[in-house]
Amino acid sequence: MAEYDYDLFVIGAGSGGTRAARVSASYGAKVAVAEEYRVGGTCVIRGCVPKKLLVYGSHFSEELEDGKNFGWTWENARFDWPTLRDHILKDVDRLNNAYTETLKNHDVEVILERAELTGPHEIKLGDGRTVTAKYILIAVGAWPAVAEFPGSEHMSTSNEMFHLEKLPETVIISGGGYIANEFAGIFNGLGSEVTVVNRSDIILRGYDESVRDRLIQISLAKGISYKFNCHFDKIEKREDGALDVYMDGHDEPVRADVVLAATGRRPKIEGLGLENAGVRINDSDAIIVDEYSQTNVDNIYAVGDVTDRVQLTPIAIREGQAFADTVFGDNPRTVDYDNIPSAVFSQPPIASVGLTEGEAREKYGNIKVYSSDFRAMRNVFADRTERSLYKMIVEHPTEKILGLHMIGPDAPEILQAAAIAVKAGLTKQAFDDTVALHPSMAEELVLFK
Ligand code: NDP
């Protein structure tokens, strides 16, 4: 008889957990994964994927406007929220099934139950069963952090945005990060009145300043409002279901149909039984791990948002892969966190890799900044005033690229390819040596003067 029921028990079937489970099983391990909600995790079920579809859906309003000079007119164009919402939910169902099938095809046992650690090798499942495993991987992700103040329970989180019964006329968004700016663009595009309220005087902390400023400028022109250095005092629900939002600096409450809390995500460790196994966490509730994703308990590992290293899906996937290679593939591997490209799917989107101008100045002192501030050909033709901004930060005098920052149509699509060059340590000269692909927006990257 085997000493344990499983070689590996994974808690959480999100991006990191499913990759780790599938690859470990392909190395011959006997693997089970427990998931309390739906297979796929935040990214697939209530994050990146449905969000991107909402971005696409909302952007049609601009496409319709821009079509006029191209000779197109649309009579009686109108938007129907339930149609978009239900198609997205159907796609989420498809992906949930596809992820489940992939796990099963790799001989991973999928257990749709909540799991709680009851010891270093022991897990109690929601149905009352107790199972044992040689290794345990915690990949339970993170959960929206909602500030507490009178009436804060009336706020929604990104989780609920995909299920709204009707399109809100007015939306107030608390926070100025990824989720705030992405949903501001979505609701604005769909016709809602949007106000972004942040506690500080900036949005998208960590992104290059000029790119952030450009997003604010464009968003203001689209009708999105911002309130900075602003805090919520209380929220009251009216009889008609609308919300009265009391904020500092306002004598009168502001009415909103939806108040979205987008103020960060915290590791989802509640009820996980970490204390039963002696797994240590830090002040932000994140599980403490080493570079191999190993916790202080030798046989327990953790990957993804629950470790709060970099809260991005592709990172969780890499951590899951590295875990499987290390523990079951006889190939110890760590994840390289340098030069991670990232994007904000605002409208227009932002994409970035490497150091911002400010960070580069602080670290290297002697740097050079190249920039291109242009109006995409399509925008010029459509009478859209929106300008794109691309920035390349290089070390001086080597001209090694330290960072690339872009805001403009398709910026994430373009930056993914350019990020390879930055990761490879290329210089601006390599870009200069590359012939422009004309006419395109991306050619600006090889034409910096
Ligand atoms: P972010 O960390 O991006 O932004 C949080 C915002 O909320 C900041 O503006 C911050 O203010 C503010 N804030 C933080 N704490 C509080 C508080 N206690 N009270 C009031 N305001 C507060 O978080 P999001 O929720 O937008 O997204 C969570 C994470 O999910 C992101 O960090 C990202 O990793 C991931 N994500 C990635 C996406 C992508 O890759 N495109 C899309 C969506 C999410 P301040 O100005 O002080 O920083």
Side-chain angles (χ1 to χ4, degrees):
M1 274 241 333
E3 195 181 348
Y4 300 104
D5 298 326
Y6 301 99
D7 297 318
L8 172 65
F9 196 95
V10 180
I11 307 180
S15 301
T18 47
R19 172 59 67 94
R22 177 166 72 70
V23 178
S24 300
S26 73
Y27 287 133
K30 185 179 179 202
V31 184
V33 55
E35 170 57 54
E36 66 174 339
Y37 186 51
R38 305 187 77 186
V39 175
T42 297
C43 179
V44 170
I45 306 297
R46 39 173 133 70
C48 334
V49 172
K51 177 277 309 285
K52 184 89 186 264
L53 293 170
L54 281 181
V55 171
Y56 281 134
S58 65
H59 202 257
F60 275 93
S61 55
E62 278 187 16
E63 308 279 336
L64 295 179
E65 255 177 56
D66 290 355
K68 287 177 193 145
N69 287 357
F70 290 90
W72 290 91
T73 48
W74 281 267
E75 301 300 330
N76 305 321
R78 60 178 207 97
F79 170 71
D80 184 51
W81 165 253
T83 303
L84 175 61
R85 180 199 59 202
D86 294 348
H87 272 87
I88 291 178
L89 294 179
K90 223 165 96 184
D91 207 51
V92 168
D93 286 345
R94 179 183 66 78
L95 288 166
N96 172 43
N97 291 336
Y99 270 66
T100 308
E101 279 314 301
T102 305
L103 285 173
K104 289 183 176 165
N105 290 341
H106 283 81
D107 293 326
V108 174
E109 185 181 338
V110 179
I111 302 172
L112 293 177
E113 294 287 349
R114 195 176 158 71
E116 183 189 338
L117 294 173
T118 41
H121 291 278
E122 198 182 79
I123 301 117
K124 192 172 163 214
L125 297 171
D127 61 9
R129 273 188 297 154
T130 294
V131 296
T132 59
K134 184 169 182 197
Y135 291 99
I136 294 173
L137 177 70
I138 302 168
V140 295
W143 199 248
V146 181
E148 282 193 17
F149 58 86
S152 61
E153 70 276 12
H154 300 307
M155 293 204 281
S156 308
T157 70
S158 53
N159 292 347
E160 290 84 56
M161 291 304 103
F162 306 102
H163 301 271
L164 293 176
E165 207 174 304
K166 55 182 189 178
L167 184 68
E169 276 174 34
T170 50
V171 182
I172 293 178
I173 304 178
S174 170
Y178 283 88
I179 295 177
N181 285 286
E182 292 182 345
F183 275 98
I186 289 166
F187 284 120
N188 174 261
L190 296 178
S192 309
E193 191 186 315
V194 179
T195 306
V196 174
V197 178
N198 200 21
R199 62 174 178 183
S200 72
D201 59 357
I202 60 163
I203 59 164
L204 294 167
R205 190 181 293 282
Y207 276 87
D208 192 84
E209 197 177 337
S210 14
V211 165
R212 291 194 256 128
D213 285 349
R214 181 58 54 90
L215 178 62
I216 292 180
Q217 202 183 320
I218 295 172
S219 301
L220 286 170
K222 286 183 200 244
I224 296 173
S225 306
Y226 290 90
K227 291 186 194 303
F228 291 117
N229 298 312
C230 186
H231 295 85
F232 291 78
D233 294 329
K234 63 174 173 176
I235 298 177
E236 283 172 355
K237 194 165 191 161
R238 296 183 187 184
E239 267 179 26
D240 65 359
L243 302 171
D244 277 332
V245 183
Y246 294 77
M247 294 177 270
D248 55 21
H250 289 259
D251 294 334
E252 296 294 318
V254 182
R255 184 196 170 283
D257 295 309
V258 166
V259 180
L260 167 61
T263 47
R265 295 172 58 84
R266 287 182 81 82
K268 197 168 177 258
I269 56 159
E270 218 178 87
L272 199 55
L274 293 178
E275 60 290 350
N276 300 330
V279 175
R280 278 211 296 265
I281 56 172
N282 68 17
D283 292 344
S284 316
D285 286 350
I287 295 180
I288 301 169
V289 289
D290 67 9
E291 70 268 40
Y292 290 99
S293 298
Q294 190 175 29
T295 70
N296 60 302
V297 181
D298 279 358
N299 70 303
I300 302 183
Y301 289 69
V303 295
D305 288 1
V306 76
T307 63
D308 200 13
R309 287 175 279 189
V310 182
Q311 287 189 342
L312 293 176
T313 298
I315 295 298
I317 292 172
R318 282 189 174 233
E319 288 169 354
Q321 176 81 43
F323 158 81
D325 291 344
T326 302
V327 176
F328 295 104
D330 198 21
N331 177 18
R333 290 213 295 135
T334 58
V335 173
D336 176 0
Y337 295 95
D338 266 353
N339 285 318
I340 298 170
S342 64
V344 185
F345 292 95
S346 46
Q347 298 184 29
I350 289 175
S352 170
V353 64
L355 302 180
T356 64
E357 182 179 341
E359 288 165 348
R361 259 186 221 296
E362 201 163 296
K363 187 164 177 195
Y364 290 85
N366 208 356
I367 61 160
K368 234 174 139 178
V369 179
Y370 294 93
S371 65
S372 174
D373 188 335
F374 65 99
R375 200 144 69 109
M377 181 178 166
R378 203 192 119 123
N379 284 349
V380 176
F381 193 77
D383 296 329
R384 183 168 290 284
T385 52
E386 185 178 309
R387 297 182 70 85
S388 302
L389 178 66
Y390 291 4
K391 271 177 82 170
M392 181 184 272
I393 323 288
V394 303
E395 191 185 5
H396 188 67
T398 62
E399 298 255 299
K400 181 177 173 219
I401 303 168
L402 302 174
L404 264 183
H405 309 280
M406 306 165 64
I407 177 167
D410 295 333
E413 305 291 341
I414 299 166
L415 184 109
Q416 174 70 84
I420 299 169
V422 180
K423 182 78 187 157
L426 299 189
T427 62
K428 177 173 179 289
Q429 190 61 49
F431 277 63
D432 294 346
D433 291 343
T434 306
V435 174
L437 200 158
H438 185 72
S440 68
M441 294 178 283
E443 68 180 313
E444 296 298 325
L445 289 174
V446 299
L447 297 173
F448 282 124
K449 289 280 173 295

